[in-house]
Amino acid sequence: MQSNLVFVLEFFARRFSWSATVIAFAVWGFSQSILVAQNAVSLPQSKSPSVTPLNVVFVLCDDHRYDCLGIEGHPFLETPHLDQLARDGAIMSKAYVTTSLCSPSRASILTGLYAHNHRVVDNYHPVEPSLVFFPQQMQQAGYETAFFGKWHMGGDVDDPQRGFDHWMAFKGQGTYWPDGHGTTREVPQTTYDGFNLNGRRVPQKGYITDELTQYAVEWLRSRDAAKPFFMYVSHKAVHADFVPADRHRGRYDGKKLPISIPSVEQMDRGNLPMWVRNQRNSRHGADFGYNLDGFSPEVYYRRYCESLLAVDDSVGRLRETIDELGLSRQTLFIYMGDNGFQFGDHGLIDKRTAYEASARVPLIVAAEGVVPAGQRVEQLVGNIDIAPTILEATGSPSLVDADGVSFWGRLRGDAGQPSTRETLLYEYYWERNYPHTPTLHAVLGQRWKYIRCHGLWDRDELYDLEADPQELNNLIDDPRQQQRVGELNQVLWDLLFKSDGHEIPLLEDRGPTFPWRHPDEAPQAAFPSEYFRKSEPVK
């Protein structure tokens, strides 16, 4: 409906020369009136006095890849509190983000929308005022809501946001320590001006993960106990540049990188796209990571794992506090990564790609007495499904427009609950800041993954995740897979068109750019061999 409204308003804008501001306010105002009207009829029935609404704690960890958990068999990383959370509830082993980048992923979590609909496609632009965040729906259902940590939508924006009664955030990436110690480089959007606490500035005093946790614990102990609550703890950790808490620094010195970095020759033999082979020698490549001469993925990985230890401590402390308050049987606890992270996988570092190490994340859900303990759920879920799931679990009004669907029934073990979906759309839109990764669309499935690059003279990708979990054997030109390629291409376009994704969001350039290559590292990749022929093929 909203897309039709925009079309009508654009017609009148051209007819009567309305300004962009007038159009924006008209869209926002009308969409809000629709939202109020629809919510008026979709509010849940009054609960019986004997039914206690579930509280919700949602913990988001930055850049936490799916296999960095003790319970997932990691060779040295210790995550006892996260492991216990998984044993007490369900671990979603096929959870993905629909865009592997901080701000787009966070916007998808809050809105239940793909990036092409919420249009936050980089780390520099804010969400539009017309978008509804799911905590707003929880407020309508009588919930007290609170946010702690990394907002990171709109660059330096840390102002209190709609949907939250209590607010504590920092600008951009913030900083691990207020004096900056422990870091080897300053990442873009690092800030040192403390926190915005309900509209006033307060200084940061200690290690960011511990301090966010302390603020959250204090709020839990002082909040209005008469209301159910939703608490969103959004960690800076473990975003690069990785800085562990002092108590954890050096814990994994000497540990080997448990990731096999393919050689240039392996990447060539696997028919990986030219852009992937070229990205190896870039800011987001294993040969020239962050444009540091002598960059070591192994050292970086060890610091990453050490930085995760404080996040695990945070989960333990939050659960301990909830237990002390007598709320364990009334609280839904969700832990998730906002995207993964590469440490030499495919010769790359960082994220943005549709590969498993980048797009797949840990997702753990526990609710004592509600979610059966010890589940390993193989169902395909996405970050766009978080909002619908929490809203259903809490009996809150659903979002009027959402691309995600709830998996709450499956978690509770409802008999006959079907799998939510067979495929999930992945999308990433090229950024001038980091020109190494092209616009990508992908179909994520249980076994097969199809990746289509946009705007490049290059090959697409098809991977059999069962036979090739490292995604190093691109089957896109395998004669035996051509029917599958055609079918998945159609699935891709169906997913795009059904979600109104037929336009690429374009936003003005913001922030620095990093196009550099190292003169002595991997050379420029050759064009795909299948593109060389002396005449067109006979039809």
Side-chain angles (χ1 to χ4, degrees), residues 102-104 106-107 110 118-128 133 150-159 161 167 170-173 189 191 507-508 510-511:
C102 295
S103 297
R106 290 160 188 265
L110 280 167
H118 63 61
R119 302 183 73 82
V120 179
V121 295
D122 61 21
N123 287 342
Y124 293 94
H125 289 82
V127 287
E128 296 176 355
F133 302 148
K150 179 176 177 177
W151 178 249
H152 201 225
M153 281 173 279
D156 287 339
V157 172
D158 69 353
D159 304 321
Q161 297 292 317
W167 183 261
F170 50 83
K171 295 179 180 178
Q173 298 288 0
Q189 297 181 309
T191 57
L507 299 174
E508 72 274 18
R510 291 186 183 179

Side-chain angles (χ1 to χ4, degrees), residues 247-503:
R247 65 186 181 276
H248 297 137
R249 180 174 289 276
R251 171 82 67 89
Y252 299 130
D253 280 356
K255 296 295 184 182
K256 299 298 183 183
L257 181 68
I259 296 163
S260 178
I261 301 178
S263 66
V264 172
E265 292 73 26
Q266 283 178 290
M267 296 171 72
D268 288 343
R269 288 196 303 270
N271 291 322
L272 296 189
M274 181 168 52
W275 72 263
V276 177
R277 291 174 288 151
N278 278 327
Q279 190 175 128
R280 183 188 183 106
N281 182 358
S282 76
R283 185 178 180 85
H284 291 162
D287 288 356
F288 197 26
Y290 300 108
N291 301 144
L292 299 173
D293 199 7
F295 173 80
S296 169
E298 186 169 64
V299 172
Y300 221 51
Y301 184 81
R302 290 199 292 259
R303 290 176 55 199
Y304 171 87
C305 290
E306 291 170 355
S307 302
L308 269 169
L309 297 176
V311 176
D312 186 74
D313 288 348
S314 173
V315 169
R317 189 167 181 216
L318 292 173
R319 294 194 77 199
E320 181 182 36
T321 302
I322 290 167
D323 188 55
E324 290 173 357
L325 295 172
L327 299 174
S328 294
R329 291 190 62 84
Q330 304 164 28
T331 302
L332 169 63
F333 199 111
I334 304 174
Y335 177 90
M336 188 179 190
D338 74 337
N339 47 250
F341 204 85
Q342 300 158 146
F343 288 93
D345 314 76
H346 291 86
L348 310 180
I349 62 166
D350 207 78
K351 51 234 181 183
R352 292 173 168 82
T353 70
Y355 300 131
E356 296 288 280
S358 172
R360 192 170 160 195
V361 294
L363 176 57
I364 307 172
V365 185
E368 186 177 342
V370 181
V371 175
Q375 295 186 72
R376 178 171 289 273
V377 181
E378 302 292 338
Q379 173 182 322
L380 194 67
V381 297
N383 55 350
I384 58 173
D385 301 328
I386 295 297
T389 299
I390 291 177
L391 294 179
E392 182 182 0
T394 58
S396 301
S398 60
L399 292 163
V400 174
D401 293 309
D403 297 316
V405 292
S406 173
F407 53 86
W408 182 238
R410 173 63 182 83
L411 274 177
R412 293 179 57 186
D414 291 353
Q417 175 72 20
S419 176
T420 303
R421 57 163 56 83
E422 294 182 359
T423 56
L424 182 69
L425 173 68
Y426 179 88
E427 58 187 341
Y428 167 79
Y429 295 98
W430 178 82
E431 304 163 89
R432 182 171 294 277
N433 316 83
Y434 305 100
H436 336 107
T437 310
T439 291
L440 299 170
H441 292 93
V443 176
L444 309 179
Q446 287 287 352
R447 176 175 178 178
W448 296 94
K449 182 183 294 184
Y450 169 73
I451 306 173
R452 179 186 184 274
C453 65
H454 183 85
L456 279 187
W457 190 7
D458 208 341
R459 58 166 67 102
D460 295 327
E461 299 168 85
L462 175 70
Y463 297 103
D464 181 347
L465 298 178
E466 289 185 8
D468 178 28
Q470 302 305 311
E471 301 165 290
L472 288 173
N473 183 24
N474 182 12
L475 302 174
I476 197 70
D477 291 315
D478 187 330
R480 297 166 295 181
Q481 300 297 339
Q482 293 316 293
Q483 180 177 345
R484 191 184 310 278
V485 169
E487 291 171 351
L488 288 173
N489 179 269
Q490 186 59 55
V491 170
L492 174 64
W493 288 106
D494 288 345
L495 288 168
L496 280 167
F497 282 117
K498 287 178 181 177
S499 62
D500 213 17
H502 51 280
E503 294 181 359

